[in-house]
């Protein structure tokens, strides 16, 4: 197809569409014309995409159609319906799609943490290299526990929430690098393993688990989820399959940034547990039970609602209209 000739023939329709979109008010005839031109230009876009889907012309026509669509479907959506769509369909679908990768990342994390803990407890010279006996005893007997109660519960919960949410957002947003999510995972596993090794060396491993697990069940799972989402985006770039790399990256990026938004709320819950439950005077078994119930609630939500959403065709991506694509033909 001669693209230059195609542009010359149809440029008038495109310019007229732009003109109608820019007008503040349209009468009945102009509104009908806008809809007709929208359908016509949609057909033009379909033709161009069949020849060269990644061309500048394809992008320009898609942008024109997006503006036109906004003009005649510009009524505000129902906020409650949007929220229901997000929490019942988009978010659980996104979580569900990366469930096995989340589990794999979690197992890898536990393995690395265990190796570091074993190294600390079984290798002569490691404990002395971490500090003096007096310093380490102060840490395992006082500082480790005091960390969770040295600040007011509300401000501490807010602090850990924002910090962990920022880490999760980075893992997803910078997932395309393939390096940053893995680095975040390794860094956290190393820190947990070293602390566990120190606590075990001074026979305080029970205290370690009582203070780590109530919030750690969900907090660490959130890090696993974020890492899995980031790596999934990276893999879409490395192995896009039948899609072009740009299309694969855009689709997975849009779908899995939903995970980052959802994790902000998930980490708020784990932050509240860390601020109010972990350092509380509740019996250890009850603190652990509360943490485990939050963890179980996440997986029930993901496996039940997520499976239904994916079966219904949802992926966590934006809908067709919000993506700016058009499949309408004249």
């Amino acid at each position: 197809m001669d693209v230059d000739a195609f542009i010359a023939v149809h440029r008038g329709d495109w310019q007229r569409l732009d003109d109608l979109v820019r007008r503040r008010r349209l009468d009945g005839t102009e509104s009908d014309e806008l809809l007709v031109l929208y359908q016509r230009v949609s057909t033009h876009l379909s033709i161009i995409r069949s020849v060269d889907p990644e061309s500048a012309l394809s992008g320009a026509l898609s942008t024109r159609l997006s503006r036109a669509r906004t003009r005649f479907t510009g009524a505000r959506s129902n906020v409650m319906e949007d929220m229901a769509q997000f929490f019942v369909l988009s978010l659980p679908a996104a979580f569900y799609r990366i469930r096995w990768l989340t589990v794999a990342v979690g197992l890898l994390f536990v393995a690395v943490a265990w190796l570091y803990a074993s190294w600390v407890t079984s290798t002569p010279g490691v404990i002395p290299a971490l500090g003096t006996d007096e310093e380490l005893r102060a840490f395992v007997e006082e500082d480790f526990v005091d960390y969770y109660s040295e600040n007011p519960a509300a401000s501490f919960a807010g602090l850990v929430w924002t910090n962990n949410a920022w880490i999760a957002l980075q893992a997803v947003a910078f997932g395309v690098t393939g390096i940053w999510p893995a680095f975040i995972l390794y860094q956290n596993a190393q820190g947990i393993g070293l602390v566990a090794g120190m606590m075990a060396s001074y026979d305080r491993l029970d205290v370690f688990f009582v203070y780590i697990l109530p919030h750690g069940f969900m907090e660490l799972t959130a890090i696993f989820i974020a890492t899995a989402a980031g790596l999934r985006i990276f893999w879409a770039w490395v192995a896009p399959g039948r899609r072009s790399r740009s299309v694969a990256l855009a689709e997975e990026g849009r779908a899995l940034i939903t995970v980052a938004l959802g994790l902000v709320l998930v980490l708020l819950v784990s932050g509240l547990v860390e601020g109010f439950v972990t350092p509380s005077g509740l019996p250890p078994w009850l603190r652990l039970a509360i943490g485990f119930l939050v963890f179980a609630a996440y997986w029930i939500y993901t496996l039940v609602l997520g499976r239904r959403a994916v079966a219904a065709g949802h992926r966590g991506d934006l809908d067709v209209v919000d993506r700016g694509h058009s499949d309408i033909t004249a």
Side-chain angles (χ1 to χ4, degrees):
M1 184 181 72
D2 189 334
V3 175
D4 291 335
F6 186 86
I7 293 173
V9 171
H10 299 295
R11 181 183 287 115
D13 287 336
W14 304 342
Q15 292 175 343
R16 178 58 177 167
L17 179 65
D18 290 342
D19 178 56
L20 291 173
V21 168
R22 284 193 294 265
R23 294 189 183 186
R24 296 187 63 182
R25 295 180 182 278
L26 298 174
D27 59 28
T29 301
E30 289 171 334
S31 296
D32 290 341
E33 185 184 4
L34 175 64
L35 183 56
V36 169
L37 286 171
Y38 175 83
Q39 294 174 325
R40 188 178 300 163
V41 176
S42 296
T43 302
H44 299 165
L45 177 59
S46 297
I47 294 171
I48 291 298
R49 280 181 171 166
S50 68
V51 177
D52 188 1
E54 302 299 323
S55 67
L57 178 58
S58 175
L61 289 179
S62 181
T63 301
R64 276 191 171 92
L65 289 169
S66 179
R67 288 197 296 261
R69 186 187 304 112
T70 301
R71 182 61 192 268
F72 61 73
T73 63
R76 293 183 179 179
S77 60
N78 186 295
V79 174
M80 297 306 294
E81 289 181 1
D82 290 343
M83 291 182 64
Q85 171 86 12
F86 180 79
F87 288 109
V88 177
L89 297 173
S90 299
L91 183 58
F95 283 156
Y96 186 79
R97 288 180 57 229
I98 57 172
R99 65 195 185 284
W100 291 119
L101 187 53
T102 298
V103 172
V105 167
L107 292 175
L108 179 61
F109 178 94
V110 171
V112 172
W114 181 82
L115 287 172
Y116 266 101
S118 299
W119 175 63
V120 170
T121 57
S122 62
T123 305
V126 174
I127 286 293
L130 294 174
T132 65
D133 183 67
E134 182 179 347
E135 291 171 339
L136 295 178
R137 285 191 179 278
F139 173 79
V140 300
E141 294 175 3
E142 299 175 11
D143 296 346
F144 178 78
V145 173
D146 291 346
Y147 166 75
Y148 296 98
S149 57
E150 60 186 3
N151 294 306
S155 61
F156 180 65
L159 178 64
V160 296
W161 173 42
T162 53
N163 178 66
N164 291 328
W166 174 236
I167 292 173
L169 286 170
Q170 289 181 73
V172 178
F174 299 144
V176 68
T177 65
I179 298 173
W180 193 248
F183 172 73
I184 289 175
L185 186 73
Y186 173 78
Q187 189 179 49
N188 280 272
Q190 180 188 52
I192 290 290
L194 290 175
V195 172
M198 286 188 284
M199 298 293 285
S201 297
Y202 286 87
D203 296 321
R204 303 281 287 180
L205 194 58
D206 57 334
V207 176
F208 171 80
F209 285 121
V210 166
Y211 278 84
I212 284 291
L213 290 182
H215 62 276
F217 277 125
M218 194 64 250
E219 183 180 284
L220 291 174
T221 299
I223 299 301
F224 305 158
I225 297 165
T227 302
L231 293 176
R232 183 68 174 264
I233 294 172
F234 169 71
W235 193 247
W237 174 69
V238 173
R242 294 178 179 273
R243 302 171 293 179
S244 68
R245 279 189 168 80
S246 60
V247 170
L249 193 57
E251 289 180 353
E252 294 296 345
R254 284 193 309 264
L256 294 174
I257 202 66
T258 301
V259 170
L261 298 177
L263 288 180
V264 172
L265 299 177
V266 170
L267 287 166
L268 172 61
V269 175
S270 70
L272 292 174
V273 173
E274 187 168 0
F276 291 93
V277 176
T278 297
S280 71
L282 294 173
W285 68 266
L286 184 55
R287 282 182 273 171
L288 292 170
I290 292 172
F292 182 79
L293 286 175
V294 173
F295 170 78
Y298 163 79
W299 280 107
I300 292 171
Y301 171 79
T302 296
L303 296 178
V304 175
L305 291 184
R307 179 177 297 153
R308 291 176 182 172
V310 170
H314 295 274
R315 296 169 46 84
D317 199 352
L318 301 174
D319 60 30
V320 173
V321 171
D322 291 332
R323 289 200 298 268
H325 293 293
S326 174
D327 297 322
I328 300 174
T329 58

